Structure formats: structure tokens, C-alpha cells
Amino acid sequence: GDSVTQMEGPVTLSEEAFLTINCTYTATGYPSLFWYVQYPGEGLQLLLKATKADDKGSNKGFEATYRKETTSFHLEKGSVQVSDSAVYFCALLGSGGSNYKLTFGKGTLLTVNP
Amino acid sequence: GAVVSQHPSRVICKSGTSVKIECRSLDFQATTMFWYRQFPKKSLMLMATSNEGSKATYEQGVEKDKFLINHASLTLSTLTVTSAHPEDSSFYICSASPYWGATEAFFGQGTRLTVV
């Protein structure tokens, strides 16, 4: 079945540092890929998405590119802020049939210190 | 973006009782809804997928008689935890898609269930 492997962390950075959280996937067909963010005690918020190969999702300074050749969707941000501290989940939405469901990575806790 | 409302956000119940969690799509019709469970410091585990008007499809290892899912309308799905026990305490999250195969699912805020 589909699977997502994500750098588990935790990751601790200083403000304005560069962030990379690695995510690779295994899937059949043509999945859509997502990054979700979860703040303490809250539900999931969609951060960005890409629905086909070579698409780049971006939002709030975060970016990720759907790389089919390396089956990757790494999350990057050039300069993190304290307010970016949260848990980040990489996820895959299967392309249909019995694969139509969201499969999540294990999450990466990011802490940004001032 | 589309809005999914989950209620209640927090609930405490006594062991042996049942509790119902509602998931509503407020501004779109959700043909497909998903229910997830999240353990502390863990990822989300898909419990079941439901299509409006059909029986839910449960993931392996999820007790269908314990976690009753109803998706009777295009805007509402409910998860009922029956005869709850302390080990059922968890964070439950729903998500909704406008149709089977849509390239996005929208999440509710989650429900923190504590069974005492």
C-alpha cells in the first residue's frame, strides 16, 4: 500500500535559519501530495499541496516540489520564525479506488528559538 | 477554502458510556468523509472512510462495532464511540472531500476525547 516516510526530528532551529524537512513516498498511480501543520492542541491546517509531478506548492514562505523521479516532496523555508514552531506532516492522497485516502508521515516537531 | 466543523472540541465521558462526535461540511457537499485517530506525539491513523448513503469502510484492526460511523447526509458524518474505555482516550479528527477522487480533503478542528 501507499506509504510516506518523513524525517522525524525533532528539529530545533534559531530564528531566520533555513529549514528542510525531508519527505519521500511510495504510491501507485498519481497521488497528490500535501504538507499539513498542526499547532499544539489544534487540528490540521493545510500548508501547501501539489497534485502532479513538477508542481511546486508554496504558502507563507514554505515551498515543496513534487519530484516523481525521486518520489520526494521535501518542505523548505528560507528563514523560519518562532511562530513556525509546530508539528509538520507530509501526506499523500491516493489517486482513486481503494487507494483514495490520506496516508500521513509520522510528523516532525519543529521548534524555532528566538 | 472549504470549512469543516467538528463538534465537540473536547469531551469527557465516563467509562462504559457512549459519545458522539459530529463532522459537518459547512460550505460544500462532502461525498466522502474520513475519520482519523491521533495518539500523543504520533501520526494520524485512518480509522474508516465513509461515502454518503453507504456503509463505512473500516481499516484493518479498527472495531466497527465500537466505532460506529454514520454518513447519512452530504454535510454530516458522525462517529460514535460505544462503551468507551480509558484506552479510547485520544484526539479524533475528521476530514471531508467533495467527491471520491478529489485532490484535497478538508479537516475539522479535532475532538479531544477523555474517558475517565
Side-chain angles (χ1 to χ4, degrees), chain B residues 14-15 23 32 34 40 47 69 76 102 104 106:
Chain B
K14 291 185 176 181
S15 190
C23 180
T32 305
F34 306 88
M47 300 174 66
I69 291 172
L76 174 65
E104 189 166 351
F106 304 95

Side-chain angles (χ1 to χ4, degrees), chain A residues 62-83:
Chain A
F62 291 90
E63 292 183 341
T65 301
Y66 188 163
R67 301 286 189 199
K68 194 168 177 65
E69 65 275 14
T70 55
T71 61
S72 65
F73 193 55
H74 305 320
L75 182 68
E76 296 183 336
K77 186 174 185 181
S79 176
V80 293
Q81 305 300 312
V82 172
S83 57

